[in-house]
Amino acid sequence: MTTTSTEANRAYFDKLASEYEAKPWQKAMSSMITRNIHERRDWLGLADNPEQKEVRLLDYACGTGLVSRALWPRITASRGIDLSTNMVQVFNSRAESAGLTPEQMNAVQGDLLSKEEQPHLSDPSLFNFDVAAVGLGFHHFEDVIEATKQLAARLKPGGVFFIVDFVNDREREVPHGWQGVITINGFNESGMRKLFEEAGLVDFGFSVFDEQAEMYFNDQKQLRTVFMAKGMRPLQ
C-alpha cells in the first residue's frame, strides 16, 4: 500500500518538475553539488575512462539527472528511477538534448520501497550496477535502512553506493510546511556509518563539502552543510 509520505512526495515533485532548478539559488546549489561530485569521482573509484569501459550507474530518486550528469563520462550508462513521472520526463528530455541515447541514459517511474508489485523494476537491466547513488533524496525516504539494502542488492560485488545529503550538525525540525515531504532533516557521520554497515556495505567513507548550500524555505534563507557518504558491496 502506498504511504501518505510517498504520495506527498510524488505530488510535490510532479508539480515542481517543470520549474526545477529554475530559481537562482537552485541553480547555484545544483552547480555546487555537481562540482563537488565531479571532484570526488576518483574517491568513488571512478577512474578516467578513455576507452569507454562499461561502467553502469543506478541513479535512484534521480530527479532531473544531476548525479548522472556529474559522473558522465566516467560512467557509460545511467538508469534512473524516480517516484515522479514528470521528473522522469525531464530526466529523459535533458539526456536526449545532451545527445545521449536511451541506452546511454534513461529513467523510468518506480518506487523500490513500494509494497505493491512493480514488475518493470525486476528487469535484469536494473541490476548488477557498478555504482548506485541517491542525490538529495535520502531525507525524503521513510525507511532509509530498507532503501540502502534495496540499492546495495542491485550492485555487482565490488560496486559502490553513495549518497549526497545534508549534515544534521544540530537538532533541526523539519521546516514548517514541509512535513510529510521531508522525513529526516539531515544525517551525521556516525549514523551513516551504522546505516551502511547494517545494509552489509564495507569500506565506508564520509566527505563534507567545503561550500555550503544556500536554500530558501518560506522565503527564509538557510545555509546547509552537504556531505557524501559511500560504501562498497563486498566482493564475496
Side-chain angles (χ1 to χ4, degrees):
M1 183 175 181
T2 304
T3 67
T4 301
S5 176
T6 298
E7 283 305 323
N9 274 283
R10 191 196 316 274
Y12 173 75
F13 285 104
D14 270 344
K15 181 179 180 180
L16 184 67
S18 63
E19 56 190 35
Y20 196 70
E21 300 168 325
K23 296 178 180 179
W25 69 265
Q26 293 170 325
K27 291 180 180 179
M29 185 171 73
S30 293
S31 295
M32 183 272 285
I33 291 171
T34 297
R35 183 168 57 255
N36 276 273
I37 294 174
H38 184 91
E39 291 171 354
R40 287 165 173 79
R41 292 179 301 178
D42 290 341
W43 183 69
L44 293 170
L46 294 172
D48 284 325
N49 195 9
E51 297 179 1
Q52 291 291 286
K53 175 184 175 183
E54 183 180 68
V55 181
R56 300 175 64 245
L57 165 71
L58 173 57
D59 190 350
Y60 189 65
C62 61
T64 63
L66 182 149
V67 171
S68 294
R69 294 191 299 272
L71 293 180
W72 198 269
R74 298 282 181 97
I75 60 171
T76 57
S78 172
R79 297 292 172 263
I81 302 175
D82 200 282
L83 275 178
S84 165
T85 300
N86 291 350
M87 280 292 192
V88 166
Q89 290 174 348
V90 174
F91 180 107
N92 290 334
S93 176
R94 290 192 178 187
E96 183 179 2
S97 296
L100 300 173
T101 66
E103 289 72 27
Q104 292 174 305
M105 193 175 290
N106 181 262
V108 297
Q109 191 279 332
D111 177 11
L112 293 180
L113 300 180
S114 176
K115 303 299 183 183
E116 301 171 2
E117 189 175 355
Q118 299 189 60
H120 68 294
L121 297 185
S122 297
D123 189 279
S125 68
L126 294 177
F127 289 86
N128 207 36
F129 287 93
D130 301 278
V131 188
V134 178
L136 297 183
F138 247 52
H139 58 273
H140 294 284
F141 296 168
E142 285 191 289
D143 190 340
V144 292
I145 295 176
E146 182 61 22
T148 306
K149 289 179 178 178
Q150 289 281 347
L151 290 161
R154 290 174 183 257
L155 289 169
K156 64 173 57 173
V160 173
F161 171 62
F162 76 90
I163 75 166
V164 179
D165 219 294
F166 300 116
V167 173
N168 185 356
D169 50 4
R170 62 180 184 273
E171 290 297 321
R172 291 177 181 267
E173 295 181 356
V174 173
H176 178 70
W178 290 75
Q179 291 84 357
V181 176
I182 294 175
T183 304
I184 304 172
N185 201 17
F187 305 87
N188 58 40
E189 182 174 356
S190 62
M192 281 286 99
R193 181 185 295 274
K194 181 180 179 181
L195 172 64
F196 277 43
E197 289 176 350
E198 286 187 26
L201 298 168
V202 298
D203 292 344
F204 176 77
F206 192 89
S207 178
V208 177
F209 296 0
D210 292 332
E211 305 167 79
Q212 288 188 302
E214 180 179 303
M215 309 174 68
Y216 287 82
F217 292 102
N218 305 317
D219 296 323
Q220 297 295 312
K221 179 179 175 179
Q222 285 193 12
L223 292 176
R224 297 297 306 268
T225 301
V226 185
F227 73 91
M228 286 178 67
K230 67 170 183 175
M232 185 183 78
R233 181 174 178 178
L235 290 169
Q236 295 182 347

Coordinates of all heavy atoms in Angstrom, one line a residue, residues 129-191:
F129 N 24.8 -3.2 -11.1 CA 25.4 -1.9 -11.4 C 26.8 -1.8 -10.7 O 27.1 -2.4 -9.7 CB 24.5 -0.8 -10.8 CG 23.3 -0.6 -11.6 CD1 22.1 -1.2 -11.3 CD2 23.3 0.2 -12.7 CE1 21.0 -1.1 -12.0 CE2 22.1 0.4 -13.5 CZ 21.0 -0.2 -13.2
D130 N 27.7 -1.0 -11.4 CA 29.0 -0.6 -10.8 C 28.8 0.4 -9.7 O 29.6 0.5 -8.8 CB 29.9 -0.1 -11.9 CG 30.1 -1.1 -13.0 OD1 31.0 -2.0 -12.8 OD2 29.4 -1.0 -14.0
V131 N 27.9 1.3 -9.9 CA 27.6 2.4 -8.9 C 26.1 2.6 -8.8 O 25.4 2.4 -9.7 CB 28.2 3.7 -9.4 CG1 28.2 4.8 -8.4 CG2 29.7 3.6 -9.9
A132 N 25.7 2.9 -7.5 CA 24.3 3.3 -7.3 C 24.4 4.6 -6.4 O 25.3 4.7 -5.6 CB 23.5 2.2 -6.6
A133 N 23.5 5.5 -6.6 CA 23.5 6.7 -5.9 C 22.1 7.3 -5.7 O 21.2 7.0 -6.4 CB 24.3 7.7 -6.8
V134 N 22.1 8.1 -4.6 CA 20.9 8.9 -4.3 C 21.4 10.3 -4.0 O 22.1 10.6 -3.1 CB 20.1 8.4 -3.1 CG1 18.9 9.3 -2.8 CG2 19.7 6.9 -3.3
G135 N 21.0 11.3 -4.9 CA 21.4 12.7 -4.7 C 20.3 13.5 -4.1 O 19.2 13.7 -4.7
L136 N 20.4 13.9 -2.8 CA 19.5 14.7 -2.1 C 18.1 14.1 -2.0 O 17.1 14.8 -2.1 CB 19.4 16.1 -2.7 CG 20.7 17.0 -2.7 CD1 20.4 18.4 -3.2 CD2 21.2 17.1 -1.3
G137 N 18.1 12.8 -1.9 CA 16.8 12.1 -1.8 C 16.6 11.4 -0.5 O 15.4 11.1 -0.1
F138 N 17.7 11.1 0.3 CA 17.5 10.3 1.5 C 16.6 11.0 2.5 O 15.9 10.3 3.3 CB 18.9 10.0 2.1 CG 19.3 8.6 2.0 CD1 19.2 7.9 0.8 CD2 19.8 7.9 3.1 CE1 19.6 6.5 0.7 CE2 20.1 6.6 3.1 CZ 20.0 5.9 1.9
H139 N 16.7 12.3 2.6 CA 15.9 12.9 3.6 C 14.4 12.9 3.3 O 13.6 13.3 4.2 CB 16.3 14.4 3.9 CG 16.3 15.3 2.6 ND1 17.3 15.3 1.8 CD2 15.4 16.1 2.2 CE1 17.0 16.2 0.8 NE2 15.8 16.7 1.0
H140 N 14.0 12.4 2.1 CA 12.6 12.2 1.8 C 12.1 10.8 2.1 O 10.9 10.5 2.1 CB 12.4 12.5 0.3 CG 12.6 13.9 -0.1 ND1 11.7 14.9 0.2 CD2 13.6 14.5 -0.7 CE1 12.2 16.1 -0.3 NE2 13.3 15.8 -0.8
F141 N 13.0 9.8 2.3 CA 12.7 8.4 2.5 C 12.1 8.1 3.9 O 12.7 8.6 4.9 CB 13.8 7.5 2.2 CG 14.4 7.6 0.8 CD1 15.6 7.0 0.5 CD2 13.7 8.2 -0.2 CE1 16.2 7.0 -0.7 CE2 14.2 8.3 -1.5 CZ 15.5 7.7 -1.8
E142 N 11.1 7.3 4.0 CA 10.5 6.9 5.2 C 11.4 5.8 5.9 O 11.5 5.7 7.1 CB 9.1 6.4 5.1 CG 8.1 7.5 4.9 CD 6.7 6.9 5.0 OE1 6.3 6.2 4.1 OE2 6.0 7.2 6.0
D143 N 12.0 5.0 5.1 CA 12.8 3.8 5.6 C 14.2 3.8 4.9 O 14.4 3.2 3.9 CB 12.1 2.5 5.4 CG 12.7 1.3 6.1 OD1 13.9 1.4 6.5 OD2 12.0 0.3 6.3
V144 N 15.1 4.6 5.5 CA 16.4 4.7 4.9 C 17.2 3.4 4.9 O 18.1 3.1 4.0 CB 17.3 5.8 5.5 CG1 16.6 7.2 5.2 CG2 17.4 5.7 7.0
I145 N 17.0 2.6 6.0 CA 17.7 1.3 6.0 C 17.2 0.4 4.9 O 18.1 -0.2 4.2 CB 17.4 0.6 7.4 CG1 18.0 1.4 8.5 CG2 18.0 -0.8 7.4 CD1 17.8 0.9 9.9
E146 N 15.9 0.3 4.7 CA 15.5 -0.6 3.6 C 15.9 -0.1 2.2 O 16.2 -0.8 1.3 CB 13.9 -0.7 3.7 CG 13.3 -1.6 2.6 CD 13.8 -3.1 2.7 OE1 14.2 -3.5 3.8 OE2 13.7 -3.8 1.7
A147 N 15.9 1.3 2.1 CA 16.3 1.8 0.8 C 17.8 1.5 0.5 O 18.1 1.1 -0.6 CB 16.1 3.4 0.9
T148 N 18.6 1.6 1.6 CA 20.0 1.2 1.4 C 20.2 -0.2 1.0 O 21.0 -0.6 0.1 CB 20.8 1.6 2.6 OG1 20.6 3.0 3.0 CG2 22.3 1.4 2.4
K149 N 19.5 -1.1 1.7 CA 19.5 -2.5 1.4 C 19.1 -2.8 0.0 O 19.7 -3.6 -0.7 CB 18.7 -3.3 2.4 CG 19.3 -3.4 3.8 CD 18.4 -4.1 4.7 CE 18.9 -4.2 6.1 NZ 18.0 -5.0 7.1
Q150 N 18.0 -2.2 -0.4 CA 17.5 -2.4 -1.8 C 18.5 -2.0 -2.9 O 18.7 -2.7 -3.9 CB 16.2 -1.7 -2.0 CG 15.0 -2.2 -1.2 CD 14.4 -3.5 -1.9 OE1 14.7 -3.8 -3.0 NE2 13.5 -4.2 -1.1
L151 N 19.1 -0.9 -2.6 CA 20.0 -0.4 -3.6 C 21.4 -1.1 -3.6 O 21.9 -1.4 -4.7 CB 20.3 1.1 -3.4 CG 19.1 2.0 -3.7 CD1 19.2 3.4 -3.0 CD2 18.9 2.2 -5.2
A152 N 21.8 -1.5 -2.4 CA 23.0 -2.4 -2.3 C 22.8 -3.7 -3.1 O 23.8 -4.2 -3.7 CB 23.4 -2.6 -0.9
A153 N 21.6 -4.2 -3.0 CA 21.4 -5.5 -3.6 C 21.4 -5.4 -5.2 O 21.5 -6.4 -5.9 CB 20.0 -6.0 -3.2
R154 N 21.3 -4.2 -5.7 CA 21.4 -4.0 -7.2 C 22.8 -3.7 -7.7 O 23.0 -3.5 -8.9 CB 20.4 -3.0 -7.6 CG 19.0 -3.4 -7.4 CD 17.9 -2.4 -7.7 NE 16.6 -2.9 -7.4 CZ 15.7 -3.3 -8.3 NH1 16.0 -3.2 -9.6 NH2 14.5 -3.7 -8.0
L155 N 23.8 -3.7 -6.8 CA 25.2 -3.6 -7.1 C 25.8 -4.9 -7.5 O 25.4 -5.9 -6.9 CB 25.9 -2.9 -6.0 CG 25.7 -1.5 -5.7 CD1 26.4 -1.1 -4.3 CD2 26.2 -0.6 -6.8
K156 N 26.8 -4.9 -8.3 CA 27.6 -6.1 -8.5 C 28.6 -6.1 -7.3 O 28.8 -5.1 -6.7 CB 28.4 -6.0 -9.9 CG 29.4 -4.9 -10.0 CD 30.2 -4.9 -11.2 CE 29.4 -4.9 -12.5 NZ 30.2 -4.8 -13.7
P157 N 29.2 -7.3 -7.0 CA 30.2 -7.3 -6.0 C 31.3 -6.4 -6.3 O 31.8 -6.3 -7.4 CB 30.7 -8.8 -6.1 CG 29.5 -9.5 -6.6 CD 28.8 -8.6 -7.6
G158 N 31.7 -5.6 -5.3 CA 32.7 -4.5 -5.5 C 32.1 -3.2 -6.0 O 32.8 -2.2 -6.1
G159 N 30.8 -3.2 -6.2 CA 30.1 -1.9 -6.6 C 30.0 -1.0 -5.5 O 30.0 -1.4 -4.3
V160 N 29.9 0.3 -5.8 CA 29.9 1.4 -4.8 C 28.6 2.1 -4.7 O 28.0 2.4 -5.8 CB 31.0 2.4 -5.1 CG1 30.9 3.6 -4.2 CG2 32.4 1.8 -5.0
F161 N 28.1 2.2 -3.5 CA 26.9 3.0 -3.3 C 27.2 4.3 -2.6 O 28.0 4.3 -1.7 CB 25.9 2.2 -2.4 CG 24.7 3.0 -2.0 CD1 23.8 3.5 -2.9 CD2 24.5 3.3 -0.6 CE1 22.7 4.3 -2.5 CE2 23.4 4.0 -0.2 CZ 22.5 4.5 -1.1
F162 N 26.7 5.4 -3.1 CA 26.9 6.7 -2.3 C 25.7 7.5 -2.3 O 24.7 7.4 -3.2 CB 28.1 7.4 -3.0 CG 27.8 8.2 -4.3 CD1 27.4 9.5 -4.3 CD2 28.0 7.5 -5.5 CE1 27.1 10.1 -5.5 CE2 27.8 8.2 -6.7 CZ 27.3 9.5 -6.7
I163 N 25.6 8.4 -1.3 CA 24.5 9.4 -1.3 C 25.1 10.8 -1.1 O 26.2 11.0 -0.6 CB 23.5 9.1 -0.1 CG1 24.1 9.5 1.2 CG2 23.1 7.7 -0.1 CD1 23.1 9.6 2.3
V164 N 24.3 11.8 -1.5 CA 24.6 13.2 -1.2 C 23.4 13.7 -0.4 O 22.3 13.5 -0.9 CB 24.8 14.0 -2.5 CG1 25.0 15.5 -2.2 CG2 25.9 13.4 -3.4
D165 N 23.7 14.3 0.7 CA 22.6 14.8 1.5 C 23.1 15.9 2.5 O 24.3 16.3 2.4 CB 21.9 13.7 2.2 CG 20.4 13.9 2.3 OD1 19.9 14.9 2.9 OD2 19.6 13.2 1.6
F166 N 22.3 16.3 3.4 CA 22.6 17.4 4.3 C 23.1 16.9 5.7 O 22.5 15.9 6.2 CB 21.4 18.3 4.5 CG 20.9 18.9 3.2 CD1 19.6 18.6 2.8 CD2 21.7 19.8 2.5 CE1 19.1 19.2 1.6 CE2 21.2 20.3 1.3 CZ 19.9 20.0 0.9
V167 N 24.1 17.5 6.2 CA 24.6 17.2 7.5 C 23.6 17.7 8.6 O 23.1 18.9 8.5 CB 26.0 17.8 7.8 CG1 26.4 17.6 9.2 CG2 27.0 17.2 6.8
N168 N 23.2 16.9 9.5 CA 22.4 17.3 10.7 C 23.4 17.6 11.8 O 23.7 16.7 12.6 CB 21.4 16.3 11.1 CG 20.5 16.8 12.2 OD1 20.6 17.9 12.7 ND2 19.5 16.0 12.5
D169 N 24.0 18.8 11.8 CA 25.0 19.1 12.8 C 24.4 19.6 14.2 O 25.1 19.8 15.1 CB 26.0 20.2 12.3 CG 25.3 21.4 11.7 OD1 24.0 21.4 11.8 OD2 26.0 22.2 11.1
R170 N 23.1 19.7 14.2 CA 22.4 20.1 15.5 C 21.0 19.7 15.3 O 20.6 19.3 14.2 CB 22.6 21.5 15.8 CG 21.9 22.5 14.8 CD 22.1 23.9 15.2 NE 21.4 24.9 14.3 CZ 22.0 25.4 13.2 NH1 23.2 25.0 12.9 NH2 21.4 26.2 12.4
E171 N 20.2 19.7 16.3 CA 18.8 19.3 16.2 C 18.1 20.3 15.3 O 18.1 21.5 15.5 CB 18.2 19.3 17.6 CG 18.6 18.1 18.5 CD 18.3 16.8 17.9 OE1 17.2 16.6 17.4 OE2 19.1 15.9 18.0
R172 N 17.5 19.7 14.3 CA 16.7 20.6 13.4 C 15.3 20.0 13.2 O 15.2 18.8 13.0 CB 17.4 20.6 12.0 CG 18.7 21.4 11.9 CD 19.2 21.3 10.5 NE 20.5 21.9 10.3 CZ 20.6 23.2 9.9 NH1 19.5 23.9 9.7 NH2 21.8 23.7 9.8
E173 N 14.3 20.8 13.3 CA 13.0 20.3 13.0 C 12.8 20.4 11.5 O 13.4 21.2 10.8 CB 11.9 21.2 13.7 CG 12.0 21.0 15.2 CD 10.9 21.9 15.9 OE1 10.2 22.6 15.2 OE2 10.8 21.8 17.1
V174 N 11.9 19.6 11.0 CA 11.5 19.8 9.6 C 10.9 21.1 9.4 O 10.0 21.5 10.1 CB 10.6 18.6 9.1 CG1 10.0 18.9 7.7 CG2 11.2 17.3 9.3
P175 N 11.3 21.9 8.3 CA 10.8 23.2 8.1 C 9.3 23.2 8.0 O 8.7 22.3 7.5 CB 11.4 23.7 6.8 CG 12.7 22.9 6.7 CD 12.3 21.5 7.3
H176 N 8.7 24.3 8.6 CA 7.2 24.4 8.6 C 6.7 24.3 7.1 O 7.2 24.9 6.2 CB 6.8 25.7 9.2 CG 5.3 25.9 9.2 ND1 4.4 25.2 10.0 CD2 4.5 26.7 8.4 CE1 3.2 25.6 9.7 NE2 3.2 26.5 8.8
G177 N 5.6 23.5 7.0 CA 5.0 23.3 5.7 C 5.6 22.2 4.8 O 5.1 21.8 3.8
W178 N 6.7 21.6 5.3 CA 7.4 20.5 4.6 C 7.2 19.1 5.3 O 7.7 18.2 4.8 CB 8.9 20.8 4.5 CG 9.2 22.0 3.6 CD1 9.0 23.3 3.8 CD2 9.7 21.9 2.2 NE1 9.4 24.0 2.7 CE2 9.8 23.2 1.8 CE3 10.1 20.8 1.4 CZ2 10.3 23.5 0.5 CZ3 10.5 21.1 0.2 CH2 10.6 22.4 -0.3
Q179 N 6.4 19.1 6.3 CA 6.2 17.8 7.0 C 5.4 16.9 6.0 O 4.5 17.4 5.3 CB 5.3 18.0 8.2 CG 6.0 18.7 9.4 CD 6.0 20.2 9.3 OE1 5.5 20.8 8.4 NE2 6.6 20.8 10.3
G180 N 5.8 15.7 6.0 CA 5.2 14.7 5.0 C 6.0 14.6 3.7 O 5.9 13.6 3.0
V181 N 6.8 15.7 3.4 CA 7.6 15.6 2.2 C 9.1 15.4 2.6 O 9.7 14.5 2.1 CB 7.5 17.0 1.4 CG1 8.5 16.9 0.2 CG2 6.1 17.2 0.9
I182 N 9.5 16.1 3.7 CA 10.8 15.8 4.3 C 10.6 14.9 5.5 O 9.8 15.3 6.3 CB 11.6 17.1 4.6 CG1 11.9 17.9 3.4 CG2 12.8 16.8 5.4 CD1 12.5 19.2 3.6
T183 N 11.3 13.8 5.6 CA 11.1 12.9 6.7 C 12.2 13.0 7.8 O 11.9 13.0 9.0 CB 11.1 11.4 6.2 OG1 10.1 11.3 5.2 CG2 10.8 10.5 7.3
I184 N 13.5 13.2 7.3 CA 14.6 13.3 8.2 C 15.4 14.5 7.8 O 15.8 14.6 6.7 CB 15.5 12.1 8.1 CG1 14.8 10.8 8.4 CG2 16.7 12.2 9.1 CD1 15.5 9.5 8.1
N185 N 15.6 15.5 8.7 CA 16.2 16.7 8.3 C 17.7 16.7 8.5 O 18.3 17.6 9.2 CB 15.6 17.9 9.2 CG 15.8 19.2 8.5 OD1 16.1 19.3 7.3 ND2 15.6 20.3 9.2
G186 N 18.3 15.7 7.9 CA 19.8 15.6 7.8 C 20.3 14.4 8.6 O 19.6 13.7 9.3
F187 N 21.6 14.2 8.4 CA 22.3 13.0 8.9 C 23.7 13.4 9.4 O 24.2 14.4 9.1 CB 22.5 11.9 7.8 CG 21.2 11.6 7.1 CD1 20.7 12.3 6.0 CD2 20.4 10.5 7.5 CE1 19.5 12.0 5.4 CE2 19.2 10.2 6.9 CZ 18.8 10.9 5.8
N188 N 24.3 12.4 10.2 CA 25.6 12.7 10.7 C 26.5 11.5 10.3 O 26.0 10.4 9.8 CB 25.7 13.0 12.1 CG 25.1 11.9 13.0 OD1 25.3 10.7 12.7 ND2 24.4 12.3 14.1
E189 N 27.8 11.6 10.5 CA 28.7 10.6 10.0 C 28.5 9.2 10.8 O 28.5 8.2 10.1 CB 30.2 11.0 10.2 CG 31.2 10.0 9.7 CD 32.6 10.5 9.8 OE1 32.8 11.7 10.1 OE2 33.5 9.7 9.4
S190 N 28.3 9.3 12.1 CA 28.2 8.0 12.8 C 26.9 7.3 12.4 O 26.8 6.1 12.3 CB 28.2 8.3 14.3 OG 27.1 9.1 14.7
G191 N 25.8 8.1 12.2 CA 24.6 7.5 11.7 C 24.7 6.9 10.4 O 24.1 5.8 10.1

